[in-house]
Amino acid sequence: MRVVSGIQPTGNLHLGNYLGAIRQWVAMQDEVAAGGGDCLFFLADLHALTQPVVPAELANATVEMAAALIACGIDPARSILFNQARVPAHSELAWILNGTARMGWLSRMTQWKDKAGKDGSSQSVGYFGYPVLQAADVLLYKATHVPVGEDQKQHLELARDIATKFNLDFGVDLFPLPEPLISKAAPRIMSLRDGSAKMSKSDPSDLSRINLTDSDELIAQKFRKAKTDAEPLPEQVAGLAERAEARNLVTIYAALADRSVDSVLSEFAGQGFGSFKPALADLAISVLGPIRERLTQLLDDRTAVADALIDGAARATTLAAPTLLATQRAIGLQV
Ligand code: TYM
């Protein structure tokens, strides 16, 4: 097994990232290490360039996000943890795959359509081509499994299309098709203010998300202010069907407690949010508090985190080299 996944080093790590992706990364790390495979997790700093950047903040944000991943349980000794920009093969493969990807495929990406909306011409070329770099990220390591939130599924399907077309066009069997691994418990955590929008780093309202750096008081306050309805919790999952905000909070509870939604409902059925929200806040604080403490300690020694990234990049470069060479040969850039 070769597991590869990334996260953009912009904003704070939030509960959506944690439950949707990072917890899976940590679980895979244990499983894959036992079976002799590799896990590669990276900070997608090149992807961050597709939106306006503040140069003085990017490198810091990358180290802070790496520290947050370590605090969540990613072990730089067992997993290969690095930042994308330090492995130039990502950019080179992305450029080569730009020759394979089709404009029509990229135009159909939901993320592009949402953001570009009516004003696509003011977006960067990089933002349009973003999923090609993402395909390069996973194909470079011949990833077999890619643990991501549901919002990234379409990008992974595109990576599979690019791999298939490249193999076919050049008559090679170079890129295996990567499988997206989407968390069953928390495929899509929604905003605390709007049950129809995903929890996101870019939401202007900080009340919409729980950041892994939030204090216990702030976590409790955000859940207290979370949008809900006046009905008590139902006995069955079906009773949450038309109640997006209520469903989201129960999903968060179940994922944090590692329990099924059914079992959470059987405990809280008939109770209102006046009692459910404090229970949820207590649970979140018990899970996130220790992560925040580890993060604070790690940030006392940023150099150690930065060094771990340099070491990870060296290991990633070694794994990337044979695939890049084989790709260059397949298209005639090298003999
Ligand atoms: P990013 O940085 O937006 O998010 C990192 C991971 O967190 C997941 N996620 C969520 N899961 C559930 N609910 C949510 N509300 C939520 N918000 C975010 C994302 O699905 C993702 O798994 N393009 C990617 C980074 C990337 C990448 C890659 C991922 C670059 N190259 C190669 C996988 C493989 C991104 O912007 O994720």
Side-chain angles (χ1 to χ4, degrees):
M1 265 175 117
R2 175 73 60 85
V3 176
V4 178
S5 201
I7 182 165
Q8 289 197 61
T10 44
N12 276 312
L13 199 64
H14 57 69
L15 196 57
N17 300 130
Y18 178 67
L19 294 176
I22 315 305
R23 259 195 355 176
Q24 289 206 91
W25 298 8
V26 175
M28 298 298 291
Q29 168 181 265
D30 297 333
E31 193 183 320
V32 170
D38 303 291
C39 281
L40 294 102
F41 300 120
F42 62 89
L43 294 311
D45 45 6
L46 294 173
H47 275 104
L49 303 183
T50 63
Q51 293 300 313
V53 280
V54 182
E57 285 170 13
L58 185 57
N60 266 339
T62 301
V63 169
E64 280 167 22
M65 187 65 88
L69 297 179
I70 298 171
C72 288
I74 298 297
D75 173 2
R78 278 187 296 155
S79 290
I80 302 180
L81 180 67
F82 64 103
N83 61 306
Q84 195 186 23
R86 206 173 258 125
V87 183
H90 286 249
S91 310
E92 184 163 356
L93 184 61
W95 182 253
I96 293 172
L97 297 180
N98 274 331
T100 299
R102 305 288 95 184
M103 296 282 286
W105 299 355
L106 292 173
S107 317
R108 283 193 288 277
M109 293 295 109
T110 317
Q111 183 175 304
W112 166 254
K113 289 199 288 189
D114 285 352
K115 186 127 190 165
K118 298 175 197 85
D119 189 22
S121 58
S122 71
Q123 292 295 323
S124 68
V125 172
Y127 191 69
F128 183 69
Y130 174 116
V132 182
L133 176 59
Q134 186 158 345
D137 294 337
V138 297
L139 299 180
L140 185 59
Y141 302 102
K142 300 190 175 183
T144 56
H145 297 86
V146 185
V148 283
E150 199 176 56
D151 60 330
Q152 296 300 321
K153 191 168 172 227
Q154 198 187 27
H155 289 158
L156 262 295
E157 280 159 8
L158 184 97
R160 292 166 65 93
D161 289 343
I162 292 176
T164 305
K165 182 166 161 56
F166 187 97
N167 287 343
L168 204 68
D169 286 354
F170 298 102
V172 287
D173 189 16
L174 181 55
F175 298 123
L177 302 189
E179 263 328 307
L181 285 182
I182 300 180
S183 153
K184 288 197 181 62
R188 195 176 181 83
I189 298 297
M190 309 310 279
S191 154
L192 299 182
R193 308 297 292 169
D194 173 1
S196 67
K198 72 170 182 181
M199 186 177 285
S200 150
K201 297 170 207 168
S202 54
D203 192 314
S205 166
D206 195 54
L207 286 176
S208 69
R209 64 185 158 259
I210 304 286
N211 301 303
L212 267 63
T213 47
D214 288 347
S215 66
D216 292 354
E217 295 70 36
L218 194 52
I219 294 173
Q221 188 196 72
K222 285 180 175 178
F223 280 124
R224 218 168 28 244
K225 293 194 170 172
K227 189 176 164 202
T228 39
D229 51 44
E231 301 296 311
L233 284 167
E235 277 169 24
Q236 309 284 333
V237 183
L240 292 171
E242 303 298 320
R243 300 171 64 188
E245 284 84 12
R247 190 172 63 233
N248 189 40
L249 293 189
V250 175
T251 302
I252 293 175
Y253 190 106
L256 281 171
D258 234 339
R259 285 169 56 184
S260 69
V261 168
D262 279 326
S263 107
V264 175
L265 287 179
S266 67
E267 182 181 340
F268 289 97
Q271 298 188 35
F273 287 98
S275 50
F276 183 71
K277 282 177 167 181
L280 174 57
D282 286 348
L283 173 63
I285 289 165
S286 73
V287 174
L288 302 183
I291 295 178
R292 188 184 58 224
E293 276 164 32
R294 278 198 295 279
L295 175 57
T296 311
Q297 284 163 9
L298 286 160
L299 289 177
D300 279 345
D301 189 359
R302 285 166 183 258
T303 315
V305 178
D307 286 349
L309 293 181
I310 293 173
D311 175 62
R315 290 154 69 202
T317 301
T318 307
L319 290 184
T323 321
L324 184 61
L325 182 62
T327 312
Q328 290 164 332
R329 286 196 172 132
I331 55 170
L333 286 173
Q334 290 255 16
V335 283

